[in-house]
Structures are given as C-alpha cells and as structure tokens.
C-alpha cells in the first residue's frame, strides 16, 4: 500500500499553528489543510512546527541522556502518517537532514547531531488498539512502554515482552529488537511484530506510506523484516506497528499476544561490598553466568525464572544486587528460586542480605526501571553492550573486580549490569528476524551516569578502559566467538566504529548484525535510496 503526495500538498500541510507559520517551513504562508479524523470521529490535530524561539523547543530537543541536546531549525510534531509525509516532503525538498524521535531514550546522539536540521517528533502518536481488519494490535511509535503495557493488559489481559524502563518509546525500542523481563518466557519484541506502517522516501524525493507484513507473499516483506531488529532511523519513519505473536492463531484478541503472570515475586540478594573480596566476587559472577549457560535452552523449565545482576561500583552502591523474578502462582516457583539460590548464592561463601516483595504484574512493570525517573533523567551517560554466550574467564572477572573498586570514580551510577536472556528469546532461527543473536544467554551493559560536564573525560575514560580490558582478548570489543556474540543495537555505541577503540578487525556492522547486515543493506537500497534516514551507526547503502 503506497500513497504519494505532491509538492503543493506538502506546502499546504502546515499552516499557522500555535504561533508558528508555514513560512518557517516552506518560505511562504499556505492555507490550512482540512483536518482528518481519528477512528472515533474526532478531529486529528494539525501538525505543529516549533522553532527555537518557542517555549516548548528546549523540552523537545533535550534528550534523556544529558550529554546531548539537539539544535534543529525546528521540531515538527506530527499525529499520523499523512503529517509525517508532509514533514518529510518539506524537509527533503529543502535539503535538510532529518531525525525522528519517539521516546528520547537513545544513549547516543543520533537525533541530536548538529547536522540534524529537522526533528520529527512522534510523541503525540500514542495509540494502542486492536485492529480487527488485520487481526492484530496496533502500537503507535510515541506510546511509552508504560502506556503499551497498561492498555494491552487492562483491556485484553495480554502484553509484549518489552523493556523495564517505562518511559521508553515504542518506536525505536521495537525496531531495535527490544527485550525485557519476559523475554525468557515469551521471546523478544520482534517475535511479535506482524506488520509495520512506514513512511519512506523514494529516489525522486517523494514521501510515501508503505505497509509491510510478515506474510510470505507480501512484496514488501523485507521491509517488515528489517524492522524486526534492524534498528531505528534506517529505512523510514514507522507510524504504526501491528503486534501478533509468530505462532498465534484464531481471532480472539486475548490469545494473540503473551499473557503475563498475575504477580511478580521479586527476591533480591544483596552482597555488601564490605563482605566481598576478589575471590568471592568472582565466584558470584561466575556462578551466575554459568547458571544461565545451563538453563537457557527454549525447552528448559527455568525459562520461567529471570534474574538480573547489577554489579555496581563500590562508590555507587553498597553491594552487588541480584534480583530473581518468578510467577508465584506456578506450583514449582518456590522450588525454582530455591534451586537458583543453592547454585548461585549459597556457594559464594559471603554474607548476603535477602529481601522479598510481591507486586501485581502491571505494578511490577513500573517498579523495575533502573533508569527511568528521578535524578537519572537528564544525567550524562555512556553505555557499551555485549551478548554473552558463556561465562567470563578468570582474567575477565579480575578486570571487572578491579574497575568496580577503582577509587578515582565517584559517579551516581557506574556498573556492569547483566540482563536475563536466552530461553524463548533463542527459539527462532537467526534469519527469521533481523536479530541474528539467537544463542546468547545474557546481555551485559557497561554503563556510567554523572552530572558534571567537567567529569566527562574521567568517566568516559573509565568506561572505555573497563570495556576494552574485559574484552582485551578480542580486540577490545565482544567478538563473535564462543564467549560473546557482538552487541545489541539498542545499546548503541559509536565507539564500536572507531578503530582506536575497536581493534578486533570486525566492523561495527558485524558486531551488531552479523550475517544479517548485507540483507539489511539491500532493504536500505530499495526503501531509502537517497539515504535520508542516517546517523552514526545507520545501515549503509551497498557500495
């Protein structure tokens, strides 16, 4: 399905709105376009172009990561695909670089690059509803995970296995291969994307709206595939996702996506730093990763247990925190937790503090986000990721302990965070979606947050050295071997493309996409031949 618009229609699409005139965008005023209607018959708001002189501008160009603040000529707030077409038509015809923002949680400056002159803001596109014509749920890109979880669960009792930071926007999270606490039970977000609506730009510079599905006979199927882990900002502007699980059948909406547990039982084990030394710390991390090695096949009964570890710097937190999450309604839930504790916790030989809480499931989704609210928002940060297939070596454990004890660092958050993976996240073949890492058991995130720009060099240097030394045997990055499997594009790290930081000889594109990258490039060539949608780690056009 495609839709073309003329230059005249583009210029007519933005009139005097909120004190901003079409002259800002097109050079001359234009008559107002007639309003279209929402599904309930109410009028769709007009698009809004917000220049730097507008009081709203700073909020719209400020990112969750305080290191990056955009400076586009204007921010174009849109409400539907037609308005995205208009926004792109105006920008492309004027030769202005474009970036798209849904939630603003990007850990790199892709949207805030000084070269970006037009920011398309999707934050008002927050719909979550069931589309009976496609037998799938629609999620618009500006909907936050908090809104997605609440709507799907409250109205239909279902969910998607997304991330744990509730203010993340669906737009980039879904396209990048989002995952969360339910990934071991239910797979990752791409395993549930049935279709996408994308505004692309043709070789002639004309915006058009395309719908691509996973149906075998769909001529646009490759565009769907590229959005199942190929990352955001690469092929066009996603205006709708349709969600239906890969193997779902029938027309009952309550059976088309995973059902979450009724409750979440969180058992937290805290190992105080004062009671840990290098040997006991190493034993804990080794036990933890090896448990995942043994219990992460899709057929394992332990895929119903998810355990994350935050190994925080000694000046960040009083100890290493390990949180186990299960569904207490399952008859063997307590036995699974006991078995995990016996293998991972009790054999460490160090004192441990145990805390336990139970939440109704929806409430638990608002309790887990480590980087979502409060002082963390707007802090400066840097992150570097990895897929883990097997346990750290003794040398890697020693490096990790040394950096977490480094007295020169005193940041509000500095840590390596191990996120549960494996299980049903590994159920599909590597080429079924654009996420090729389908035999990893954990994701590791090296991260640091701070407030003072004067501390940039110290904190960035610490994180770079930490990551480089952990992966010293593979060129300072998580190589494609039996221990690691590259990195996760939603943990975007531009330094993987820097040969002074990545000395492995493996290009950044292979670390993120492995053998999927040439296929992604072919999709790029077909759907974004002008390379309108680009950033520091975007899919490159074939040479």
């Amino acid at each position: 399905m495609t839709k073309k618009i003329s230059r005249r229609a583009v210029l007519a699409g933005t009139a005097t709105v909120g004190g901003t005139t079409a002259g800002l965008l097109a050079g001359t005023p234009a008559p107002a376009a007639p309003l279209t209607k929402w599904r309930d018959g109410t009028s769709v708001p007009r698009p809004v172009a917000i220049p730097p002189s507008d009081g709203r501008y700073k909020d719209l160009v400020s990112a969750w990561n305080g290191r990056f603040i955009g400076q586009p000529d204007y921010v174009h707030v849109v409400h539907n695909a037609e308005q995205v077409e208009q926004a792109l038509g105006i920008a492309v015809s004027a030769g202005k670089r474009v970036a798209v923002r849904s939630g603003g949680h990007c850990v790199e400056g892709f949207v805030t690059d000084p070269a970006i002159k037009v920011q398309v803001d999707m934050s008002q596109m927050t719909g979550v509803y069931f589309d009976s014509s496609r037998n799938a749920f629609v999620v618009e890109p500006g909907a936050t995970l908090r809104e997605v979880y609440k709507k799907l669960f409250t109205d239909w009792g279902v969910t998607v296995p997304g991330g744990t930071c509730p203010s993340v926007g669906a737009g980039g999270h879904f396209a990048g291969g989002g995952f969360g606490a339910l990934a071991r039970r239910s797979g990752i977000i791409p395993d549930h994307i049935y279709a996408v609506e994308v505004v692309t730009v043709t070789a002639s510079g004309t915006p058009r709206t395309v719908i691509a599905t996973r149906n075998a006979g769909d001529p646009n199927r490759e565009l769907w595939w590229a959005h199942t882990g190929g990352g955001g900002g690469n092929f066009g502007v996603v205006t709708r996702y349709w969600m239906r699980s890969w193997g779902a059948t029938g027309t009952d909406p309550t059976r088309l996506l995973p059902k979450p547990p009724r409750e979440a039982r969180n058992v937290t084990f805290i190992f105080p730093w004062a009671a840990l030394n290098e040997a006991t710390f190493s034993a804990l991390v080794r036990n933890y990763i090896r448990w995942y090695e043994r219990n992460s096949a899709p057929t394992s009964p332990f895929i119903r247990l998810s355990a994350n570890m935050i190994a925080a710097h000694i000046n960040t937190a009083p100890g290493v925190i390990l949180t186990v999450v299960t569904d207490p309604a399952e008859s063997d839930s307590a036995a699974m937790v006991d078995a995990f504790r016996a293998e991972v916790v009790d054999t460490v030989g160090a004192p441990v503090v145990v805390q336990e809480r139970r939440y109704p499931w929806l409430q638990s989704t608002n309790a887990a986000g480590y980087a979502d609210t409060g002082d963390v928002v707007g802090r400066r940060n840097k992150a570097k990721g990895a897929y883990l297939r097997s346990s750290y070596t003794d040398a890697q454990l020693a490096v990790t302990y040394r950096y977490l004890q480094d007295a020169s660092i005193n940041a509000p958050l500095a840590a390596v965070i191990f996120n549960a993976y494996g299980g049903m996240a590994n159920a599909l073949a590597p080429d079924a979606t654009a996420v090729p890492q389908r035999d990893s058991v954990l994701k590791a995130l090296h991260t640091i947050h701070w407030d003072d720009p004067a501390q940039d060099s110290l904190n960035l240097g610490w994180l770079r050295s930490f990551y480089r030394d952990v992966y010293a045997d593979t060129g300072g990055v998580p190589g494609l071997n039996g221990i690691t499997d590259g990195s996760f594009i939603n943990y975007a790290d531009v330094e993987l493309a820097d040969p002074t930081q990545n000395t492995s000889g493996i290009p950044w594109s292979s670390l993120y996409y492995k053998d999927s990258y040439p296929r992604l490039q072919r999709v790029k060539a077909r759907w974004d031949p002008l390379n309108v949608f680009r950033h520091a780690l975007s899919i490159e056009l074939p040479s």
Side-chain angles (χ1 to χ4, degrees):
M1 171 180 169
T2 63
K3 182 176 180 179
K4 297 183 179 181
I5 59 174
S6 67
R7 169 71 174 163
R8 178 174 298 176
V10 167
L11 296 180
T14 306
T16 302
V17 180
T20 302
T21 67
L24 169 68
L25 305 182
T28 56
L35 296 179
T36 55
K37 301 289 184 181
W38 293 123
R39 292 179 304 118
D40 62 4
T42 57
S43 295
V44 176
R46 292 180 175 89
V48 182
I50 298 175
S53 59
D54 192 297
R56 296 166 288 182
Y57 179 86
K58 186 173 182 180
D59 261 319
L60 297 178
V61 300
S62 296
W64 170 80
N65 186 345
R67 291 174 59 210
F68 305 113
I69 298 178
Q71 45 187 321
D73 294 347
Y74 60 89
V75 177
H76 207 140
V77 181
V78 295
H79 302 85
N80 58 23
E82 290 76 13
Q83 292 180 8
V84 173
E85 287 185 357
Q86 293 167 2
L88 291 178
I90 293 166
V92 171
S93 65
K96 293 180 181 289
R97 277 279 301 275
V98 176
V100 183
R101 178 177 177 177
S102 54
H105 263 254
C106 184
V107 292
E108 288 288 5
F110 296 161
V111 177
T112 57
D113 187 315
I116 301 300
K117 300 305 178 185
V118 178
Q119 176 182 310
V120 180
D121 188 290
M122 314 295 286
S123 61
Q124 301 308 295
M125 295 184 65
T126 60
V128 179
Y129 56 91
F130 186 72
D131 178 0
S132 58
S133 69
R134 293 189 185 275
N135 196 36
F137 293 91
V138 170
V139 175
E140 293 182 352
T144 65
L145 296 183
R146 176 182 285 111
E147 293 167 328
V148 173
Y149 298 154
K150 184 172 184 179
K151 183 68 173 177
L152 290 177
F153 183 70
T154 302
D155 284 359
W156 297 281
V158 298
T159 192
V160 290
T164 56
C165 294
S167 67
V168 166
H173 184 71
F174 282 24
F179 79 107
L182 295 179
R184 285 172 59 80
R185 289 174 174 265
S186 302
I188 58 178
I189 288 287
D191 305 346
H192 305 275
I193 298 176
Y194 166 71
V196 288
E197 179 181 75
V198 190
V199 182
T200 64
V201 176
T202 69
S204 65
T206 303
R208 60 172 177 169
T209 301
V210 181
I211 293 178
T213 74
R214 68 171 176 237
N215 295 339
D218 188 340
N220 301 328
R221 190 178 190 274
E222 286 294 277
L223 184 62
W224 159 81
W225 177 85
H227 285 88
T228 62
N234 282 313
F235 311 101
V237 182
V238 176
T239 49
R240 283 189 287 183
Y241 292 97
W242 281 269
M243 308 300 294
R244 186 173 78 228
S245 298
W246 194 282
T249 58
T251 58
D252 179 356
T254 67
R255 301 176 66 86
L256 299 180
L257 286 174
K259 287 186 177 295
R262 290 187 179 184
E263 276 190 290
R265 180 194 178 200
N266 290 12
V267 181
T268 301
F269 301 98
I270 303 170
F271 289 84
W273 273 121
L276 287 174
N277 56 29
E278 183 176 336
T280 50
F281 171 81
S282 297
L284 172 60
V285 178
R286 185 185 297 111
N287 288 352
Y288 171 76
I289 301 177
R290 286 181 175 173
W291 185 92
Y292 271 92
E293 287 184 74
R294 296 191 300 272
N295 295 287
S296 292
T299 55
S300 169
F302 283 96
I303 66 173
R304 294 168 296 136
L305 183 150
S306 177
N308 289 358
M309 176 186 285
I310 302 177
H313 189 277
I314 192 169
N315 291 333
T316 288
V320 177
I321 301 169
L322 174 58
T323 300
V324 179
V325 183
T326 58
D327 176 4
E330 294 173 336
S331 60
D332 58 349
S333 171
M336 284 194 294
V337 175
D338 290 345
F340 178 92
R341 175 171 181 166
E343 293 181 43
V344 177
V345 175
D346 293 342
T347 57
V348 171
V352 62
V353 177
V354 183
Q355 299 175 349
E356 180 172 342
R357 290 198 65 178
R358 294 193 183 196
Y359 301 92
W361 178 78
L362 188 60
Q363 190 179 104
S364 76
T365 66
N366 288 306
Y370 87 93
D372 193 61
T373 59
D375 291 341
V376 172
V377 176
R379 273 189 172 145
R380 308 171 79 78
N381 70 77
K382 175 65 178 173
K384 302 172 83 69
Y387 282 95
L388 301 187
R389 286 167 151 171
S390 65
S391 184
Y392 274 11
T393 64
D394 289 346
Q396 288 176 307
L397 292 167
V399 165
T400 300
Y401 181 79
R402 173 163 55 87
Y403 275 92
L404 295 179
Q405 298 287 315
D406 181 357
S408 70
I409 295 299
N410 193 18
L413 174 62
V416 56
I417 302 171
F418 298 99
N419 291 307
Y421 206 63
M424 293 306 294
N426 291 340
L428 293 184
D431 63 351
T433 67
V435 178
Q437 293 92 347
R438 292 290 186 165
D439 64 358
S440 295
V441 300
L442 287 164
K443 291 188 186 183
L445 179 68
H446 288 72
T447 187
I448 188 167
H449 294 233
W450 68 98
D451 297 307
D452 186 356
Q455 298 294 308
D456 283 5
S457 179
L458 173 65
N459 291 326
L460 288 169
W462 176 83
L463 191 72
R464 287 168 180 156
S465 297
F466 185 5
Y467 188 77
R468 179 199 63 213
D469 288 355
V470 166
Y471 301 114
D473 289 346
T474 49
V477 299
L480 305 176
N481 56 22
I483 298 173
T484 55
D485 203 23
S487 191
F488 174 41
I489 192 59
N490 280 0
Y491 295 165
D493 175 15
V494 296
E495 292 169 1
L496 292 187
D498 181 348
T500 67
Q501 301 290 325
N502 173 6
T503 61
S504 69
I506 304 172
W508 68 266
S509 52
S510 295
L511 291 172
Y512 284 121
Y513 299 116
K514 299 178 66 177
D515 294 339
S516 293
Y517 191 64
R519 185 175 173 186
L520 289 167
Q521 288 185 290
R522 292 192 293 272
V523 178
K524 176 78 169 180
R526 177 180 177 189
W527 295 104
D528 185 24
L530 300 180
N531 203 22
V532 170
F533 305 100
R534 63 190 189 274
H535 52 72
L537 293 177
S538 58
I539 305 299
E540 302 156 314
L541 287 167
S543 57

